Amino acid sequence: MPKAMQYTKGSIIYFEGDHDERVFIMQSGSVLLTSTDIESGQPVSEQVKSGEFFGVKSALGHFAREETATCLVPTVAVALTVQEFEILFSNNKPLIMKMLRVFSNQLRSIHKKTESILNKITEDQQTGMLAVAKSFYEDEQYRSACDVYLKFLKRYPNADCKNEVAKLYNDSKLRMEKLASHSRGNMFEMEDDGSNSSLRLFSLPAFERFAKNYEPGQVIISEYEPGDCFYLIQSGRVQLVKCVNGTKKNLDILKPGEFFGEMAILDNSPRSATCVAAGNVKCLEFNKENFELLITGNPQMALLLLKLFCKRIYDQKRRFRILVVKDLQARISDVFLMLDEMNPVSNEVERQRRFNVSVSDISHWAGLSIDVTRDEINKLVERRKIEVYDNYIIVNNINELRRLYETRCNTGSRKI
């Protein structure tokens, strides 16, 4: 049962860093949420109003608290378990849409901060789509380039550059066909095991009419194009890619049961990333018109989306924290610490870690050029902190790397 908690002025409901899986609703009084800005290191605060929720992201995502909650006056807040919150959330359609939009805006804000620190040049939608297509073309991923050029021509049939784009499309198509005649795709596939809850939810025959199939390298959605559909992966994997100043950055690999494309639906903004089929992929495609009806009519789906936002916000903040580390050795070390957090081991005594990543992957996460990254990694190799192989990197002692990170940060070389 939800429990009304009474707090005196100055009471701390929870501290930053606490593991506390309760969700709170402000009933009366006033609570101040204080945290530290990742980029500036300055304190930031937000006041909770009567009737508002707090502590949601960390509770649903099972993360440590990101802020401290302090009572400014005598306060009454109702504490709910995650299960109690889910029941309340599922039965309140206005709350469902409000929270999804709030979380979507938070994620969009972190994306913009990340783009700013990477010095990404802001482009209009047409210029942006053409830059995405060009980046695929220059990497000889002609199938993907074709798809983006074709999407551009369909979206902007009267663009001044349509004839030039049509030529680029035809050139990409010829190169794609020539390449295909010499080799077959080497993209990997991963079949669903049927255990994912979202897959079970949408396995009914009624949803089959929403199914779309994609071939290896096919672009499902392009960065910068308007967002009018979102997707659930039923089988295969989808690669998320972002174009930063003409260079492609791999963001993530999405697996069966995961959603993508929902953010542009919620905040009416252009796509923030390109999604490419990594192997043969089957997705359910839902359009913008039936999004709210689908979400509010399927509480389980709404909860899945809410939890997905919690995870993505947490992950994006973690990656953003790496980018503000000024000392390059510490920044590279923090990438490996993040990978360790993402891939926990059952035996905590084991200090050696193997990560199936390349120097290029480390370069992406660290926000550094490949040459700078290679130089910094070579320094770690010389100090016998890591070993680099073609398709993986071994950290010999993750605890030593953590100490290296903390030591270099404590010298004042990090801006936080």
Side-chain angles (χ1 to χ4, degrees):
M1 289 288 292
K3 189 175 182 180
M5 312 287 289
Q6 296 189 5
Y7 300 94
T8 58
K9 179 181 177 180
S11 295
I12 305 295
I13 299 177
Y14 56 78
F15 286 96
E16 181 180 354
D18 285 352
H19 288 273
D20 178 355
E21 294 190 0
R22 292 177 296 170
V23 175
F24 294 89
I25 309 174
M26 171 72 74
Q27 197 170 71
S28 64
S30 181
V31 168
L32 190 69
L33 304 179
T34 55
S35 58
T36 303
D37 183 79
I38 296 172
E39 187 173 10
S40 69
Q42 297 300 309
V44 292
S45 60
E46 176 187 1
Q47 197 163 336
V48 183
K49 300 176 183 177
S50 179
E52 291 185 337
F53 290 85
F54 60 100
V56 177
K57 288 199 298 290
S58 54
L60 292 186
H62 308 291
F63 309 128
R65 298 293 195 190
E66 295 181 316
E67 71 285 326
T68 297
T70 307
C71 298
L72 298 177
V73 298
T75 296
V76 177
V78 177
L80 299 89
T81 64
V82 169
Q83 186 177 15
E84 289 166 344
F85 170 78
E86 290 179 353
I87 293 171
L88 177 63
F89 177 84
S90 299
N91 294 321
N92 190 328
K93 293 182 181 180
L95 176 63
I96 288 174
M97 296 309 301
K98 179 182 178 180
M99 295 198 76
L100 287 175
R101 287 195 171 97
V102 166
F103 281 15
S104 175
N105 288 336
Q106 289 181 10
L107 186 57
R108 181 75 64 179
S109 175
I110 302 168
H111 282 168
K112 288 181 178 178
K113 285 185 177 182
T114 302
E115 290 176 357
S116 174
I117 206 167
L118 290 172
N119 298 315
K120 175 169 176 158
I121 300 170
T122 302
E123 297 175 304
D124 62 75
Q125 289 178 247
Q126 292 190 28
T127 304
M129 284 188 73
L130 293 178
V132 171
K134 184 180 178 182
S135 69
F136 279 117
Y137 182 94
E138 290 180 345
D139 285 347
E140 299 183 357
Q141 293 177 272
Y142 300 117
R143 171 60 197 269
S144 301
C146 272
D147 289 338
V148 180
Y149 283 131
L150 188 58
K151 283 177 178 289
F152 180 94
L153 292 170
K154 288 181 178 179
R155 294 282 187 183
Y156 308 107
N158 299 316
D160 293 339
C161 58
K162 63 180 181 181
N163 292 332
E164 181 184 349
V165 174
K167 290 179 181 178
L168 290 168
Y169 166 75
N170 289 326
D171 178 59
S172 300
K173 187 176 180 181
L174 286 172
R175 289 174 181 270
M176 174 189 74
E177 291 169 349
K178 183 178 180 180
L179 198 63
S181 66
H182 289 86
S183 62
R184 292 297 173 188
N186 58 358
M187 308 293 280
F188 59 83
E189 293 185 60
M190 176 66 73
E191 294 301 323
D192 166 53
D193 62 4
S195 62
N196 190 287
S197 58
S198 56
L199 289 175
R200 292 197 301 271
L201 179 63
F202 294 104
S203 62
L204 299 173
F207 287 104
E208 189 61 28
R209 63 191 175 97
F210 298 106
K212 300 281 186 179
N213 293 297
Y214 299 91
E215 299 174 353
Q218 188 169 356
V219 173
I220 304 171
I221 58 177
S222 170
E223 186 178 358
Y224 293 103
E225 73 173 322
D228 47 22
C229 294
F230 79 107
Y231 303 82
L232 168 74
I233 305 171
Q234 286 196 305
S235 65
R237 292 190 176 192
V238 173
Q239 173 78 60
L240 265 61
V241 177
K242 195 165 187 67
C243 185
V244 180
N245 301 335
T247 302
K248 293 202 322 301
K249 304 286 187 181
N250 294 325
L251 297 180
D252 206 352
I253 289 280
L254 301 182
K255 302 173 185 178
E258 293 193 83
F259 295 96
F260 62 94
E262 73 290 332
M263 212 162 69
I265 293 281
L266 285 162
D267 58 16
N268 297 312
S269 58
R271 301 295 193 186
S272 61
T274 299
C275 300
V276 185
N280 293 313
V281 171
K282 181 179 180 182
C283 292
L284 295 182
E285 178 188 85
F286 302 104
N287 63 36
K288 189 171 185 177
E289 286 68 33
N290 63 25
F291 175 79
E292 186 167 339
L293 181 64
L294 186 67
I295 291 294
T296 55
N298 295 271
Q300 284 179 278
M301 183 176 179
L303 280 168
L304 287 168
L305 269 179
L306 194 65
K307 291 177 180 178
L308 176 64
F309 275 127
C310 291
K311 182 180 184 304
R312 286 184 179 172
I313 290 171
Y314 179 86
D315 289 347
Q316 192 64 36
K317 282 184 176 179
R318 181 64 182 90
R319 292 170 185 175
F320 185 69
R321 274 197 288 271
I322 292 171
L323 298 177
V324 302
V325 177
K326 294 302 180 183
D327 183 275
L328 299 187
Q329 281 280 288
R331 189 187 297 193
I332 296 293
S333 299
D334 201 23
V335 171
F336 288 111
L337 296 179
M338 180 193 72
L339 294 172
D340 184 51
E341 294 163 14
M342 294 168 59
N343 303 277
V345 294
S346 55
N347 183 8
E348 295 184 2
V349 178
E350 179 62 43
R351 296 175 181 176
Q352 189 180 84
R353 300 284 190 274
R354 168 177 166 155
F355 301 113
N356 296 322
V357 295
S358 64
V359 173
S360 177
D361 294 325
I362 302 301
S363 167
H364 158 63
W365 280 311
L368 301 170
S369 71
I370 190 72
D371 290 335
V372 170
T373 302
R374 190 176 287 112
D375 287 344
E376 295 301 324
I377 282 182
N378 285 340
K379 293 175 186 177
L380 291 173
V381 171
E382 290 171 3
R383 298 176 64 181
R384 298 183 179 180
K385 301 294 184 184
I386 64 174
E387 298 172 17
V388 179
Y389 299 89
D390 289 342
N391 299 313
Y392 63 94
I393 296 175
I394 289 178
V395 174
N396 291 319
N397 188 321
I398 195 68
N399 293 333
E400 283 188 9
L401 206 62
R402 184 174 290 106
R403 283 193 289 272
L404 171 67
Y405 164 79
E406 292 171 350
T407 299
R408 296 188 76 102
C409 286
N410 289 336
T411 62
S413 57
R414 188 168 75 143
K415 176 187 175 183
I416 76 167

